[in-house]
Amino acid sequence: MAVKHGGNLQEVSELYKIEKKNLIDFSANINPLGIPERVKEVLIKGITELVHYPDIRYRALKRAIADFHGLSEEFVYPANGAAEAIFMLGRTLQLKRLLLLAPTFMEYEAAFNQQETEFCYFNLEQRNFQWTISELMRSAKEQQVDGICLCNPNNPTGQMLKQFELEELFAFCQENKIVLIVDEAFVDFTKEEYSFVSSINTNENLYIFRSLTKMFAIPGLRLGYLLTSNRSILSAIVEKTVPWHINTFADLAGQQALKETRFIEDSQHYIAQERGFLEERLAFFKELEVYPSQTNFLFMRYQGAGCLQEKMLKQNVLIRNCNSFNGLTQKYYRIAVKSRADNQILLAALEAVLCE
Ligand SMILES: Cc1ncc(COP(=O)(O)O)c(C=O)c1O
């Protein structure tokens, strides 16, 4: 199937002639607890604000992001989803050779392609998804890269580098004048100790992407940001930005969402519990090899015949076929960790498909 991203219900529904409302979507990794109540209230009240333009400098939103991380507002570029931040950086930062995990989120290539950056890969499947930071650094050296872009936790594998590993990598990057870009779109679902945000203050060659669309279940609203202390890159990005690129709803929702620390903790707890439940039950299916994950999705290899995604669609369950990711040779799939009721539907559908 040609669908490039998870969560593309419209395209799947047209391709497979299944009504959208009948599909259960495990292909997008969105918090099953939904939008926090206070964020919904802010959105509803926010209707009256739509008669005005949003603050073109997004000062309150920047302050909310900066406070959330204990950083200076100067280092924050709020964006229309992390995707916009990725593309703006890709259009601005000049890199000759950029090292990417393979597989990883595909938009880094699309974003940096515009600068004619050459891409180098660190293949995970060839290492059976078990690798060390030393191997990654060796690969960066051998391939003479001037940039490394990591997705942490990595989409689609769910693997996560720990703080001390990132620190080692960061020291290596500083020593070798390599730019380090870390996409933390899914880090909220893990413990915050894994985030690398606190290092922003000390190095101008570090860029971090964050997304609010996954944790706060607002992919339709669009909100994310870039953090960096590199002032010249930030002002070059701001110069290229379309005025009012973030709408008033997203601006207001973001300010409230970042106050929802209890909701984030509850979500982390819920995800850990449901991921454990799914891991335990999925282990019963011999055709599936499920890889350990630290976040709100699971990556797995299917060793049976045919396409598991198509088989699951017959049960009205949409899972992510990973065949469009770079660097995978076998049949891999990704599933979101959802509510217990939905997870049970997924397991029943798998049973119908795999044990028929
Ligand atoms: C790793 C990663 N980064 C960034 C994004 C984009 O997030 P946003 O919805 O904030 O644009 C995605 C979306 O799936 C993603 O998987």
Side-chain angles (χ1 to χ4, degrees), residues 49-167:
E49 296 297 317
L50 296 184
V51 295
H52 307 293
Y53 278 92
D55 172 10
I56 199 160
R57 287 184 286 168
Y58 299 103
R59 281 165 294 190
L61 179 59
K62 273 183 169 175
R63 208 170 310 126
I65 296 168
D67 288 350
F68 182 73
H69 291 296
L71 288 175
S72 158
E73 287 161 41
E74 282 176 283
F75 301 160
V76 179
Y77 173 76
N80 194 306
E84 187 189 32
I86 294 169
F87 273 78
M88 293 309 287
L89 187 68
R91 281 173 197 159
T92 310
L93 193 62
Q94 307 272 350
L95 292 174
K96 288 193 188 75
R97 293 169 66 79
L98 177 62
L99 184 66
L100 297 170
L101 302 178
T104 196
F105 186 52
M106 291 174 296
E107 297 303 338
Y108 313 130
E109 284 193 45
F112 279 90
N113 237 338
Q114 322 203 5
Q115 298 274 11
E116 291 172 8
T117 300
E118 225 179 289
F119 299 106
C120 307
Y121 302 99
F122 182 75
N123 190 289
L124 304 183
E125 190 190 21
Q126 283 164 7
R127 294 172 169 86
N128 201 20
F129 302 97
Q130 287 173 336
W131 50 281
T132 62
I133 206 74
S134 311
E135 287 175 283
L136 181 75
M137 295 188 296
R138 201 174 320 126
S139 173
K141 243 194 162 141
E142 279 166 9
Q143 303 195 67
Q144 298 185 331
V145 301
D146 58 349
I148 300 178
C149 179
L150 284 181
C151 184
N152 202 42
N154 188 33
N155 176 9
T157 62
Q159 287 181 306
M160 178 93 203
L161 289 174
K162 299 204 171 57
Q163 185 95 24
F164 76 91
E165 294 171 303
L166 274 171
E167 270 159 19

Side-chain angles (χ1 to χ4, degrees), residues 12 16 18 23 309-317:
V12 170
Y16 289 91
I18 307 171
L23 277 170
Q309 186 194 44
E310 289 186 358
K311 292 181 185 189
M312 291 294 279
L313 276 171
K314 296 204 173 105
Q315 309 288 323
N316 287 352
V317 170

Side-chain angles (χ1 to χ4, degrees), residues 280-297:
E280 194 188 304
R281 301 300 164 99
L282 290 169
F284 290 116
F285 299 106
K286 283 193 225 55
E287 297 93 331
L288 300 180
E289 184 183 355
V290 181
Y291 292 87
S293 163
Q294 315 261 4
T295 187
N296 65 331
F297 53 86

Side-chain angles (χ1 to χ4, degrees), residues 2 24 68 82 111 163 225 275 284 286 291 320 340 342-343:
I24 301 189
F68 182 73
Q163 185 95 24
Y225 48 93
R275 189 179 59 229
F284 290 116
K286 283 193 225 55
Y291 292 87
R320 174 73 157 101
R340 176 61 58 96
D342 282 349
N343 294 337

Side-chain angles (χ1 to χ4, degrees), residues 91-272:
R91 281 173 197 159
T92 310
L93 193 62
Q94 307 272 350
L95 292 174
K96 288 193 188 75
R97 293 169 66 79
L98 177 62
L99 184 66
L100 297 170
L101 302 178
T104 196
F105 186 52
M106 291 174 296
E107 297 303 338
Y108 313 130
E109 284 193 45
F112 279 90
N113 237 338
Q114 322 203 5
Q115 298 274 11
E116 291 172 8
T117 300
E118 225 179 289
F119 299 106
C120 307
Y121 302 99
F122 182 75
N123 190 289
L124 304 183
E125 190 190 21
Q126 283 164 7
R127 294 172 169 86
N128 201 20
F129 302 97
Q130 287 173 336
W131 50 281
T132 62
I133 206 74
S134 311
E135 287 175 283
L136 181 75
M137 295 188 296
R138 201 174 320 126
S139 173
K141 243 194 162 141
E142 279 166 9
Q143 303 195 67
Q144 298 185 331
V145 301
D146 58 349
I148 300 178
C149 179
L150 284 181
C151 184
N152 202 42
N154 188 33
N155 176 9
T157 62
Q159 287 181 306
M160 178 93 203
L161 289 174
K162 299 204 171 57
Q163 185 95 24
F164 76 91
E165 294 171 303
L166 274 171
E167 270 159 19
E168 209 179 318
L169 177 65
F170 190 41
F172 163 84
C173 287
Q174 283 180 293
E175 221 176 276
N176 293 282
K177 300 202 170 28
I178 294 173
V179 165
L180 182 60
I181 304 167
V182 187
D183 183 348
E184 295 189 348
F186 292 102
V187 85
D188 293 323
F189 292 100
T190 69
K191 294 192 208 110
E192 194 59 24
E193 69 193 69
Y194 289 117
S195 168
F196 207 43
V197 164
S198 56
S199 304
I200 282 291
N201 283 318
T202 53
N203 194 290
E204 286 198 345
N205 281 328
L206 177 64
Y207 299 87
I208 297 184
F209 302 120
R210 305 275 296 216
S211 170
L212 277 79
T213 69
K214 287 107 183 27
M215 171 53 73
F216 301 107
I218 50 169
L221 195 57
R222 319 295 306 125
L223 191 59
Y225 48 93
L226 164 69
L227 300 172
T228 182
S229 57
N230 193 316
R231 288 186 174 81
S232 64
I233 292 291
L234 269 181
S235 58
I237 289 178
V238 169
E239 235 164 71
K240 289 189 189 121
T241 300
V242 173
W244 309 292
H245 59 138
I246 299 163
N247 68 66
T248 297
F249 278 144
D251 182 357
L252 296 173
Q255 292 174 47
Q256 179 58 39
L258 292 164
K259 291 186 199 140
E260 300 286 335
T261 44
R262 180 68 198 270
F263 175 86
I264 297 173
E265 280 164 26
D266 289 349
S267 303
Q268 287 168 347
H269 182 76
Y270 187 77
I271 290 294

